């Protein structure tokens, strides 16, 4: 798996888009500009509030709530596992992760190895 940072959001099919957001009046306000309109539309369509352990999807975006602002690396890893647990994430060719501006850079760096292992499944002995 390759991991790269980009300023744009791919529009192709088979892309799973996940946004990690904190609560607030407008949870999408701190999202990078390239994803802001899509995330904001998903927030409005689903009634997303950004509560901890909240996970909603509108078909285009999966929104994952992080809770209070200083999110720990462990909390971010837990949110990542919840967001990528579904079958559509396992079948996806690309996964786009979008973090709001209130997530610390070191927390994002600590999650990268877990992102790389997100598509791994050991099924050698399954029949």
């Amino acid at each position: 798996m390759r991991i790269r940072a980009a300023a744009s959001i791919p529009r192709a099919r088979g892309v799973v888009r996940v946004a990690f957001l904190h609560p607030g009046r407008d949870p999408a306000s701190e999202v990078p500009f390239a994803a802001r309109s899509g995330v904001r539309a998903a927030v409005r369509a689903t009634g997303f509030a950004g509560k901890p352990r909240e996970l909603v999807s509108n078909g285009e975006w999966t929104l994952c709530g992080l809770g209070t602002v200083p999110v720990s690396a462990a909390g971010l890893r837990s949110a990542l596992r919840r967001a990528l647990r579904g079958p559509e994430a396992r079948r996806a060719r690309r996964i786009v992760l979008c973090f709001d501006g209130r997530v610390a850079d070191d927390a994002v760096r600590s999650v990268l190895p877990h992102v790389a292992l997100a598509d791994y499944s050991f099924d050698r002995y399954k029949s």
Side-chain angles (χ1 to χ4, degrees):
M1 171 184 278
R2 286 185 307 181
I3 299 174
R4 70 180 189 132
S8 64
I9 305 294
R11 298 282 181 204
R13 286 188 169 206
V15 176
V16 173
R17 297 169 186 89
V18 182
F20 297 91
L21 307 170
H22 287 94
R25 187 169 177 201
D26 181 14
S29 64
E30 296 287 327
V31 172
F33 182 75
R36 191 172 300 151
S37 63
V39 172
R40 191 169 277 154
V43 166
R44 287 184 185 138
T46 60
F48 180 77
K51 297 175 191 169
R53 303 187 57 83
E54 182 178 10
L55 185 68
V56 297
S57 179
N58 75 336
E60 185 178 347
W61 282 92
T62 299
L63 307 175
C64 191
L66 296 177
T68 58
V69 172
V71 64
S72 65
L76 197 56
R77 284 191 302 269
S78 174
L80 178 74
R81 278 193 306 272
R82 271 193 321 264
L84 298 180
R85 188 176 292 157
E88 61 276 350
R90 293 216 179 261
R91 288 190 303 261
R93 296 188 54 83
R94 288 185 182 175
I95 298 173
V96 174
L97 301 177
C98 181
F99 300 96
D100 70 1
R102 295 176 279 187
V103 177
D105 292 338
D106 59 339
V108 173
R109 275 190 223 103
S110 72
V111 168
L112 291 179
H114 299 278
V115 172
L117 293 173
D119 66 345
Y120 176 77
S121 79
F122 184 77
D123 54 355
R124 182 180 203 176
Y125 299 112
K126 281 190 173 180
S127 57

